[in-house]
Amino acid sequence: MKRVVSVSLGSSKRDHRVKVELLGEQFEISRIGTDGDLEKAIQTIRELDGNVDAIGLGGIDVYLYAGKTCYAVRDGLKLMEAARRTPVVDGSGLKNTLERETVYYLRENTGLLPPKTAVLMVSAVDRFGMAEAFLETGCDVTFGDLIFAAGIPYAIKTLAELEEIAKKILPDLVKLPFHMLYPTGKKQEVQDEEKIKKYGHYYQEAGVIAGDYHLVRRYMPALNGQTIITNTTTADDVKFLKEKGAGCLVTTTPEFAGRSFGTNVIEGVLVAILQKRWEEIAPEEYLDLLRRLDFRPRIVHLK
C-alpha cells in the first residue's frame, strides 16, 4: 500500500484519512494539520521522510507564478527542504494542469461558464494556470491579488498587469512569514469582517468566484447564487457555502469519503504512481495520468 500524507499549516480540525484504490493499487491518503505551527510542520515532515511515498504541503505555497516567472516562498522552501528522501510537493504542478483543464471542462460540458462570465479570482499568482484558462475561454476576469492580500482597492484586469505588479512586490513578499500572506491555523476558521464590508461587492458583482478555499471563505459576504470554483472542501464547508447563498460548488480535485483533498495531496498521489521526483515530471505526464484516473471536477448544486 502506498502512503501519501499532507502536512498542513491549517487547522487540525480538518484532518482526514481515507483508503482508496487507484489504477489497481491501494492508497492510504491522510492530512495532518499543525495549526499554523511552522516548526511543528517541519518536525512532522522529518518524521515522515523515508516512511511514506509522497508528502504534500498544505496551507502554504512554495511557488507562486506570474507569467513565466516563478517566485519561491521562503517558509515553503523550509518545509520542502525538511525531507531528504521522500518527494515533497505543494500542488503547483497540478494547478497548472488539472485546474486549467477544469476550466476547459466546465466550458465544454456545463452551462456554468457562458461567454463573458464575470469571474473573481481572489488570488491568481497561486493559480496562474486557472487564470490563463479563464481568459482563454472568454471570461471577464477580475484578479483580486492586491485587494485581498494587501488591502489595496485596485482590481487587476489583465495578465500583463498582474505580471508587472508581481515583479514589483513578490520578491519582497515571499520573504515574509507566510502567516502574514495567508490565513493559517485558527485564522482559517474566521472571516475578515473589515475587508468583507470594504470589498465584498467584488464577490456580489461576479457570477463565478474562484481560488483557494480559505481565501475565498475569509472574504465572502452574503451571495446570490454564485458558482464557487475551488479546491479542498469538507461537509462543513459545503454547509457554510449554502448558508452564504452560493448556487453551485465546483472542486477541481475529486471527492474521497465525503471531502475533496487539496491539489498538494493529489499531486502527491500522482508522484507516488509515477515514482519520480516532481522536478522530473512533465505536464504531459500529469495530464495523461489524470485522464487514466478519469479525474473530473466535482460539481455540487447547492440550490
Side-chain angles (χ1 to χ4, degrees):
M1 178 180 292
K2 292 188 181 296
R3 290 183 62 204
V4 176
V5 181
S6 173
V7 179
S8 175
L9 289 180
S11 171
S12 56
K13 292 181 180 179
R14 298 171 67 87
D15 285 358
H16 198 56
R17 183 186 302 269
V18 299
K19 291 183 179 180
V20 296
E21 182 177 317
L22 299 170
L23 300 180
E25 192 159 16
Q26 295 295 321
F27 278 80
E28 181 184 85
I29 303 170
S30 59
R31 175 194 185 276
I32 301 173
T34 60
D35 300 304
D37 189 331
L38 184 69
E39 292 306 316
K40 182 178 179 181
I42 290 172
Q43 183 57 38
T44 302
I45 291 169
R46 287 173 176 163
E47 293 170 359
L48 292 169
D49 188 25
N51 297 311
V52 298
D53 295 280
I55 297 170
L57 300 181
I60 189 170
D61 292 302
V62 180
Y63 301 109
L64 303 175
Y65 292 86
K68 297 186 181 299
T69 306
C70 174
Y71 303 88
V73 177
R74 180 177 290 177
D75 279 352
L77 289 176
K78 289 180 183 177
L79 292 171
M80 185 168 278
E81 292 165 358
R84 301 296 183 187
R85 291 168 288 177
T86 299
V88 180
V89 295
D90 73 336
S92 57
L94 270 198
K95 289 175 184 176
N96 195 36
T97 51
L98 175 65
E99 295 195 337
R100 187 188 295 270
E101 291 296 310
T102 294
V103 176
Y104 300 150
Y105 178 90
L106 294 177
R107 183 59 182 274
E108 295 169 6
N109 298 281
T110 75
L112 296 175
L113 282 179
K116 299 183 180 180
T117 297
V119 176
L120 170 66
M121 285 200 73
V122 290
S123 174
V125 294
D126 69 327
R127 288 181 148 71
F128 199 76
M130 179 182 282
E132 287 184 322
F134 277 128
L135 290 173
E136 289 169 8
T137 53
C139 294
D140 178 11
V141 190
T142 296
F143 303 116
D145 296 69
L146 286 179
I147 299 167
F148 300 109
I152 299 172
Y154 182 78
I156 302 169
K157 297 297 293 184
T158 69
L159 290 180
E161 188 175 26
L162 178 68
E163 290 179 45
E164 189 62 30
I165 292 172
K167 287 178 183 178
K168 294 177 180 178
I169 65 173
L170 278 183
D172 290 324
L173 288 183
V174 294
K175 298 175 185 177
L176 295 174
F178 193 69
H179 67 82
M180 297 178 66
L181 306 176
Y182 179 86
T184 60
K186 291 185 177 180
K187 287 185 179 180
Q188 294 182 346
E189 301 170 21
V190 297
Q191 292 193 277
D192 188 328
E193 297 296 340
E194 182 179 349
K195 284 189 179 179
I196 289 173
K197 290 178 183 177
K198 288 183 179 180
Y199 310 126
H201 64 92
Y202 287 103
Y203 279 69
Q204 293 161 340
E205 293 163 1
V208 170
I209 299 152
D212 176 90
Y213 178 73
H214 292 299
L215 289 179
V216 169
R217 182 191 191 282
R218 186 164 175 78
Y219 308 113
M220 182 180 290
L223 301 178
N224 50 20
Q226 283 86 345
T227 294
I228 310 299
I229 302 177
T230 189
N231 49 339
T232 312
T233 54
T234 65
D236 285 342
D237 297 329
V238 175
K239 180 181 177 182
F240 172 85
L241 292 173
K242 284 183 179 179
E243 292 172 349
K244 281 292 187 178
C248 183
L249 167 66
V250 179
T251 57
T252 59
T253 51
E255 181 182 50
F256 295 139
R259 68 166 287 175
S260 58
F261 281 91
T263 49
N264 73 91
V265 176
I266 304 304
E267 187 171 10
V269 168
L270 302 190
V271 166
I273 293 173
L274 292 169
Q275 296 183 323
K276 292 182 177 181
R277 302 195 71 84
W278 69 269
E279 305 97 320
E280 303 169 352
I281 301 173
E284 293 76 16
E285 292 180 272
Y286 277 137
L287 286 171
D288 177 65
L289 189 50
L290 290 168
R291 293 186 185 106
R292 288 169 56 200
L293 289 163
D294 197 26
F295 280 176
R296 300 181 187 182
R298 169 198 178 209
I299 302 174
V300 181
H301 294 282
L302 304 176
K303 288 191 173 182

